[in-house]
Each structure stands twice: as structure tokens, then as C-alpha cells.
Amino acid sequence: MEVSRYVTIGRYVPGDSVLHRLDPRTKLLTFGLLVSTLLVVKGYVPYLLLLGFAVVLLLLSRIPVRYVLAGLRPALWVLAILWVFQIIFSGSSYPDHPTLFRLGSWRATWGGVHAGALNVLRISVLYLLTSLLTLTAGLVELADAGEMLLSPLARLGVPLNEVALVFTIALRFVPTLAEELERLVKAQISRGARLDEGGFLGRARRLIPLVVPLFLSIFDRAEDLILAMEARCYRGGRGRSKAVAFAFQPLDALAAVVVLAVVAAAWLTGLMLPF
Amino acid sequence: MSRALIEVKGLFHTYHPNTPFAREALRGVDLKLESGQVLGLVGPSPSGKSTLLQYLNGLYVPQPDQGKVWVLGQDTAAPDTSLWEIRRRVALLFQQPEQQLFEPTVLRDVALGLRNFGVALEDELEKRVREALERAGLDPERVLRRYSRTLSGGERRRVALACILALEPEVLLLDDPLSGLDPRGRWRLLGVLKSLAERGISMVIASTRLDYLIPLVDSLAVMADGRILAFGSLHEVLNREDVLRAAGLQLPEIWRVQQELRSRGLPLGEPAADPAEAARRIARALGVA
């Protein structure tokens, strides 16, 4: 019944940890660096290294570990299926590997088992890193940081401020719409709707009375927002200063050095240890 | 064993459990509603009033370790209890229900619940809708075919009330029914609720304001921080100023005037909720009537 419970994953958790105090630009840059390393480098050692680093960051963030892992639980099935698929269908990529078992014309090999395991590991680390970013940095902070980092593009005529604004508003509306949907679902059930019964078609048909009012309320809210922005004379970002100015601290330099060291270690181990 | 119409024992509720956003909304609530009774649920926002009402409507069901809720003698957590049946017989008017009219026209909206619950045949739907609109203080001729969105806020709220009155529920749960209405809308709705109470329909009415509740209720429960601070007859509870202050509530002016007069030595009995009745008593005490 609580729709909003399912969208808490990756929601900002205010705090005062080392991670929270980092400049959001540092967070974005180091996050980008770690993720691109994860996507380019391949091998158990570098992945375990990155996983270990992500776990250390998670502990540093002082966000309850159980909460972060709970978000991964729904994805476990997907990861398991991904692994199985990779084992079964990747035989042709490893022609010289011995066959483990056959499934029709498909051939499972150790190569597939390893490739699948690596992918599961890679996605888990990716999930952890992404969660850590969104759990320790507010959306507005991230949008502002992104805007600042991309500011050279503004000279080329890219409407960065508007893009950042649209991005922030869109994300900000997600929990609001989840709440709205929850209200509508409850109101329907309270008036005798049986949303959970009937076949697929029946259930889909019953969504219509939810979707229409949801859209109406989105338009209402958008209109309110436009009025509020007009009332405060919003004219885009030109010539405006920021309410919160970011400034790099020694902590950010330290973070950059540590992340660079981890990334370098991951590259080197990936190149030198071929498994 | 015969139970009260509604009974709640040791009810707990936490939103977003096991996350950093966990918020306790109910912390051990006990409550009872007898047949024919109108119970006011008063407390600041948020104090758990809406959450409690949703338990009484079967929208939330307590886990075994969260307490017990009996509605119409049935344990809502029992596997053989039909929550669907409970929702028709103990109907809930949500907070700001005018935002939850689903259908384009008034007729179709009021008929929605009738259709869902199958309480009326297709050919008597319109008759039932007309009756419900009338009982909600609306002129069926004028509003029946109108688009809900073209009505005023107060009218739309009475349409929402008609939606649940059409189901002929035995108990009405009203979540802050008078908030946000203009004075005329408030008086019209107050009149409708009074006439429903006179017809013997049991009600639980939640509100943040005592002065909205006093003309309607005969018993009162004061809520704050997910707990019931006081529960009893209207006069019992209103005499406990310590509790009202703890919940951040103010006595209604009509009450304060009568208390002041009494403390200045005027021989008045318990304060009256109705202004005319209060005036009569004061005049009698002054010897002018």
C-alpha cells in the first residue's frame, strides 16, 4: 500500500560524514572516474579492489548498511538470471574451453561462468557506487555541481542552467508523484475497487482511473510551479549568483588522491593479473 | 463476546520501517467506538489521526506485533475477514477528498462506489445517486450532469461525501472534513454532518481544531505524537486543560467564555456547546430570562 516505500532507494540521507562533507563536484568527478574504470578494466582482482573500496566508503558514509543492501535485494533475481544466461549462451565465445554441460545446441563453459561472475560483480559495485553518490549528495547539489563542471559548454550556447533545472524538477517530482499515486490507489480501494484482482487485462483497465487523475494533478502542479517561478521573477541563470557556493577543501584533495590511487591500482592489477 | 462497533488495542505503526526515514506514526493507541456514538479525534498535524482512520477502513492491517483492530466485531488481521465488506460498511472520507474525484461527471463519480460494491442495480443507480446527493446537501437537478471540476471546493467536497453516503455505511470515518472550506461551505457541511448524527449514524471525525468538532461530537479523543492523551466524554476531556495544552490545543471561545463567567461566580453548570443554549443558560443565571 505504501508506494513511496519503493522509491526510497538512492534517496538522499542527510548526514555529516566525510562523504557528505565532500564538495559535490569532487563526488561527481571521482564517481565518474571510478565508474569508467569499472567499465573499462576487467578482472577479479581489480573488481574486488573496487568492491572493497566501495564498502570502505559505505562504512565511512555512516548510512545503515542494511538499508543500502535492501535496495539491492530486488535486483538479486535479475543478477542471478543474468549469470545463468551468460553461462548457457556464451559457449561460442570460448571455443577452446572444455564443455561443462549441454542444453540443446548451447554449450556451457568455464569461460561463461567467469564472464557471468565478473558481470555480477561489476553491476554490484556499480550499484553500490551509484547509491553512495545519491545517498550522500542532494539532487540540487548534484545538479549544481554538474552545471558548474559543464560550464565551458555554456559558451557554445548550451542552455546548461535550464537543463540542470529541468533535471532537478523531474527528479524532485518522483517522490511527489509516488505519494499522489498512493493517495489515489487508497481512495480507489476504499471505494471498493479491487485493484489486485482479475487477470492482466482487468488490472490494466483498472489503471485508467488512476492514470487520468494522476496526469491532471501533474498538470495542476506544473502550473503552480510556473506561477511560483514567475512570481519570483525567474529568468534563467544568467547573471545570478548561487545560494550555496562550493569551495574545494583539503578533504577534496585527499579524496582525489585516494581515488586516483585506487583507480591506478585497479588499472595495473587489471593489466598485470590476467584473471 | 460482543464487541464495540470499533475497538483498537495497543496499535503501533511505523512508516518506512528499517530505513533512515522511519517515522513512528502510532505508538500504542487504544480506542473504542460504541454504536450511535460520534467520536472526535483531535490533535495537531501530524499526530497519527489519518493513519488511525486508515486502519479503521481496512486500508492498513496490523501485523501480529503491531496491536489489534476490530471493526464491526471482526479482527481486521484475521484471514477470513473481508476488508472489502468492511470498507463499504465503515466508509472513509479522505482528507481533501475533492482532489480524489475520479470520474468526469458527478453522476458517474457517485455511482463508482455503488458499482464497485455492487449495492445497486444499473437501473436504480441514478435514483440512489440522487438520494445520496440530497443527503449531502446538494441539489441533484443542478449538479448531477455537471463536470466535477466546474463545481466549487465546498460543493466538490459534498460530492465526495455523497460518494460514500451512497453506500449507506453504518460508520462514517471523516478525515478533517471541514478544513480548507470557506465559511459557507463549512456551515453547509456542518449541517449535513449534524443531520447524519441525528439519524443515528456512528462517526469518527478527525480534526486539528476543537471548535469544528464541539458542535458535532459526544466523545473526544486527544491525540499527539501517535498516542491518545485523553479519551472520554466531551465534558470530561475539555475539563482537562493540562492535556489540551500538552497537545497544543486551544479551548474554543464559547467554552472559555462560560468557564470565565463561572470562575467569576456566575452559577452556570457545565458549558454548553451550542451558542443559543449557552446564551439561554447565561441569561437564566443572570436572572434576565
Side-chain angles (χ1 to χ4, degrees):
Chain A
M1 203 64 45
E2 278 171 48
V3 183
S4 52
R5 181 191 291 180
Y6 303 108
V7 290
T8 52
I9 297 154
R11 207 167 107 183
Y12 175 52
V13 181
D16 189 35
S17 73
V18 182
L19 254 66
H20 284 88
R21 287 201 307 261
L22 280 180
D23 189 299
R25 286 172 296 177
T26 312
K27 279 184 231 181
L28 262 188
L29 283 176
T30 51
F31 172 77
L33 205 57
L34 285 167
V35 168
S36 40
T37 308
L38 192 64
L39 295 181
V40 176
V41 177
K42 202 162 189 179
Y44 286 112
V45 179
Y47 283 3
L48 287 174
L49 193 76
L50 288 168
L51 179 67
F53 185 58
V55 170
V56 170
L57 290 181
L58 176 59
L59 294 177
L60 277 178
S61 75
R62 286 200 235 130
I63 289 164
V65 176
R66 258 182 62 195
Y67 174 63
V68 180
L69 294 186
L72 189 57
R73 198 174 304 145
L76 284 181
W77 278 110
V78 181
L79 288 178
I81 292 169
L82 193 77
W83 198 345
V84 170
F85 272 33
Q86 197 130 24
I87 292 172
I88 296 174
F89 298 126
S90 66
S92 55
S93 314
Y94 309 98
D96 49 344
H97 281 224
T99 305
L100 290 179
F101 60 88
R102 283 180 181 281
L103 203 76
S105 62
W106 306 107
R107 203 169 62 90
T109 61
W110 274 116
V113 173
H114 285 305
L118 281 174
N119 265 338
V120 168
L121 204 56
R122 178 191 273 174
I123 293 172
S124 308
V125 178
L126 192 62
Y127 167 80
L128 263 184
L129 289 173
T130 315
S131 302
L132 277 171
L133 180 71
T134 54
L135 285 167
T136 62
L139 286 173
V140 179
E141 257 184 0
L142 285 180
D144 276 354
E147 189 189 339
M148 264 188 244
L149 289 174
L150 296 174
S151 58
L153 288 179
R155 298 223 183 99
L156 302 174
V158 180
L160 272 184
N161 185 268
E162 282 72 12
V163 172
L165 184 77
V166 167
F167 177 74
T168 317
I169 291 173
L171 287 174
R172 170 64 193 79
F173 263 51
V174 171
T176 311
L177 290 178
E179 269 167 36
E180 188 79 29
L181 185 63
E182 189 178 319
R183 261 210 298 276
L184 292 169
V185 168
K186 277 182 181 168
Q188 280 274 346
I189 292 177
S190 180
R191 281 169 67 191
R194 298 184 132 165
L195 295 179
D196 47 347
E197 287 173 22
F200 178 76
L201 263 184
R203 259 185 275 178
R205 202 175 307 127
R206 270 187 287 266
L207 280 181
I208 296 170
L210 294 179
V211 171
V212 173
L214 189 64
F215 268 85
L216 281 177
S217 112
I218 294 174
F219 287 130
D220 279 348
R221 276 170 198 277
E223 224 171 292
D224 286 349
L225 191 65
I226 292 166
L227 273 178
M229 288 166 78
E230 289 278 359
R232 295 189 202 173
C233 308
Y234 182 81
R235 284 284 176 275
R238 202 149 305 138
R240 285 169 65 95
S241 58
K242 292 280 176 203
V244 183
F246 299 133
F248 286 116
Q249 306 287 330
L251 188 64
D252 293 294
L254 180 67
V257 171
V258 171
V259 169
L260 279 175
V262 170
V263 166
W267 277 96
L268 287 176
T269 50
L271 285 175
M272 288 157 65
L273 302 170
F275 45 81
Chain B
M1 188 171 71
S2 85
R3 290 201 173 273
L5 208 52
I6 286 177
E7 198 172 339
V8 177
K9 264 215 165 81
L11 187 61
F12 283 81
H13 185 84
T14 305
Y15 285 105
H16 308 301
N18 304 322
T19 72
F21 309 102
R23 189 170 65 78
E24 272 188 87
L26 297 176
R27 314 174 199 232
V29 167
D30 298 308
L31 199 72
K32 226 178 204 174
L33 179 76
E34 304 287 350
S35 183
Q37 203 180 18
V38 179
L39 168 67
L41 204 57
V42 68
S45 254
S47 56
K49 304 184 297 294
S50 301
T51 311
L52 181 56
L53 288 185
Q54 288 176 36
Y55 269 100
L56 305 186
N57 188 236
L59 284 173
Y60 286 133
V61 171
Q63 301 290 311
D65 59 341
Q66 287 183 322
K68 282 273 177 203
V69 177
W70 291 272
V71 179
L72 304 171
Q74 290 169 292
D75 179 351
T76 58
D80 56 339
T81 299
S82 166
L83 296 173
W84 184 70
E85 180 71 19
I86 282 180
R87 287 178 196 129
R88 185 188 70 74
R89 294 171 63 191
V90 181
L92 170 62
L93 185 72
F94 284 85
Q95 216 164 11
Q96 306 201 321
E98 61 273 20
Q99 293 174 0
Q100 281 150 17
L101 298 174
F102 297 101
E103 301 281 344
T105 67
V106 171
L107 170 63
R108 288 183 49 176
D109 224 312
V110 179
L112 177 73
L114 289 171
R115 282 208 180 100
N116 279 341
F117 284 112
V119 284
L121 297 169
E122 274 309 299
D123 52 350
E124 59 163 358
L125 267 182
E126 191 173 321
K127 194 174 132 264
R128 293 282 290 265
V129 171
R130 282 173 187 274
E131 282 167 9
L133 286 171
E134 244 163 60
R135 262 186 293 155
L138 290 160
D139 175 10
E141 291 309 319
R142 206 175 67 78
V143 299
L144 199 61
R145 318 240 165 239
R146 292 267 297 271
Y147 284 97
S148 311
R149 288 201 143 221
T150 63
L151 299 173
S152 78
E155 285 170 328
R156 264 190 286 168
R157 190 164 303 184
R158 272 176 280 141
V159 170
L161 180 63
C163 288
I164 65 170
L165 287 181
L167 307 173
E168 314 225 326
E170 291 149 61
V171 184
L172 280 179
L173 309 169
L174 307 165
D175 196 350
D176 223 346
L178 297 169
S179 72
L181 292 181
D182 63 7
R184 194 212 315 233
R186 198 157 61 231
W187 279 112
R188 295 287 297 273
L189 186 55
L190 198 59
V192 171
L193 295 180
K194 265 185 179 161
S195 71
L196 290 170
E198 277 158 19
R199 288 180 38 196
I201 294 185
S202 315
M203 293 190 233
V204 181
I205 309 175
S207 175
T208 53
R209 296 181 57 159
L210 270 171
D211 52 349
Y212 286 0
L213 286 176
I214 280 178
L216 285 169
V217 304
D218 36 49
S219 58
L220 203 59
V222 179
M223 273 191 98
D225 285 327
R227 293 192 183 86
I228 304 259
L229 302 186
F231 176 44
S233 77
L234 183 65
H235 284 95
E236 269 165 34
V237 174
L238 288 188
N239 278 333
R240 297 191 52 188
E241 260 184 87
D242 53 326
V243 169
L244 298 181
R245 201 169 303 130
L249 295 168
Q250 269 191 337
L251 270 179
E253 277 171 20
I254 182 168
W255 222 262
R256 293 222 319 261
V257 167
Q258 291 173 85
Q259 279 186 344
E260 288 283 327
L261 287 171
R262 203 156 62 152
S263 69
R264 280 160 199 244
L266 201 66
L268 280 173
E270 288 290 348
D274 178 53
E277 175 61 23
R280 233 182 336 268
R281 288 188 196 176
I282 294 168
R284 198 185 310 129
L286 289 170
V288 294

